[in-house]
Amino acid sequence: MKKKKRSKLKWLWISLLIVFVLVATIGIYVFTVYSSIKSTVNETSHEPVEAIDTEVTKKKLENRESLNVLLLGVDEREGDRGRSDTMIVMTLDPTHSRMQLVSIPRDSRTEIIGKGVEDKINHAYAFGGSEMSVATVENFLDVDLDYYVRVNMEGLEQLVDAVGGITVNNTLEFSQDGYTFTKGTNTLDGKQALSYVRMRKKDPEGDVGRNERQRQVIQGVLESGASLTSVTKIHKLIDILGKNMVTNMQFADMQNLMTNYRNVSANTTSYQMTGKGKFINDIWYLMVPDDELTKTKDMITEYGG
């Protein structure tokens, strides 16, 4: 009996040891991921800009007030800063559990703040990087931005694959880069998503149509990323973002957003700014009228941003 009892105790201790080792291993791995995120954000991806008042943003974050985030999708290649092909002002309103995405046409003619010239708004990034882009968008829309997130469009392919693909609702059937996108629901992998957002010439709405597809893909990545539960996939996502994303957010800001602003995805609306095309010195620009600028500003302000 004693031998049998000792045997049971032995297996009990072995079982407890196995559980302890598993819990410890998972804990160490989770801590490693946590440390990796913190290091990636604060050291690799963090780039502040003078145009944004961080103290004001910090208070708004602490009080759970609405925030305006500028999303910049840039096409950067080696030896070339590139231009911001995608410019979206995302307003997060936690009080009413809603989010708004406002797309700015890249050819919109406006004053480039810090350069002293009028040009296409997407040239601000080519002239002065994120700093000039933020300042120019703030002046263009007469709103204050709290954060910016710059993503290299080359990294978009990897991001889509990292979240396991995305689903979009396509309104225009077309072919691009050997892929055919039918009307209705399309499930896309990374390469398909990149082709989906880059098509412009075959779209009768031009940049307007492309901006809508870009919004769909960004929203798809956000939704799929928010549902990830695999620690391994999260680690991979962090690595991709670290190589392709730059922001003025710090790790603590992201933690706060995940905790107190995650409800905003419950209700998402989008808007595409409009205007009329015009040639000036043989260069085509989109002229956005004052009433459209006022309407857009009021939309952002109504969300509390």
Side-chain angles (χ1 to χ4, degrees), residues 202-214:
K202 299 174 186 176
D203 193 326
E205 294 188 10
D207 271 337
V208 173
R210 186 169 77 159
N211 285 345
E212 174 57 31
R213 289 189 291 279
Q214 289 170 342

Side-chain angles (χ1 to χ4, degrees), residues 2 19 51 61 85 107 118 122 134 140 158-159 176 183 186 203-204 210 231 239 241 287 290:
K2 287 184 177 179
V19 171
L61 192 62
D85 284 336
D107 293 328
E118 289 203 348
N122 73 323
V134 168
F140 182 59
Q158 300 171 52
L159 279 175
Q176 177 79 11
K183 281 187 178 182
N186 285 247
D203 193 326
R210 186 169 77 159
V231 178
D239 182 58
L241 287 172
M287 310 301 291
D290 289 341

Side-chain angles (χ1 to χ4, degrees), residues 49-97:
V49 292
E50 292 182 3
I52 293 175
D53 190 329
T54 54
E55 290 303 313
V56 171
T57 296
K58 185 177 179 181
K59 289 179 181 178
K60 291 170 71 173
L61 192 62
E62 290 174 350
N63 296 327
R64 292 193 64 192
E65 297 177 24
S66 293
L67 299 171
N68 291 326
V69 184
L70 176 63
L71 304 178
L72 294 171
V74 301
D75 205 354
E76 289 181 308
R77 291 169 188 159
E78 193 173 345
D80 179 23
R81 174 180 275 171
R83 294 179 174 85
S84 52
D85 284 336
T86 304
M87 304 183 83
I88 297 174
V89 175
M90 178 173 67
T91 304
L92 311 176
D93 178 10
T95 303
H96 301 96
S97 301

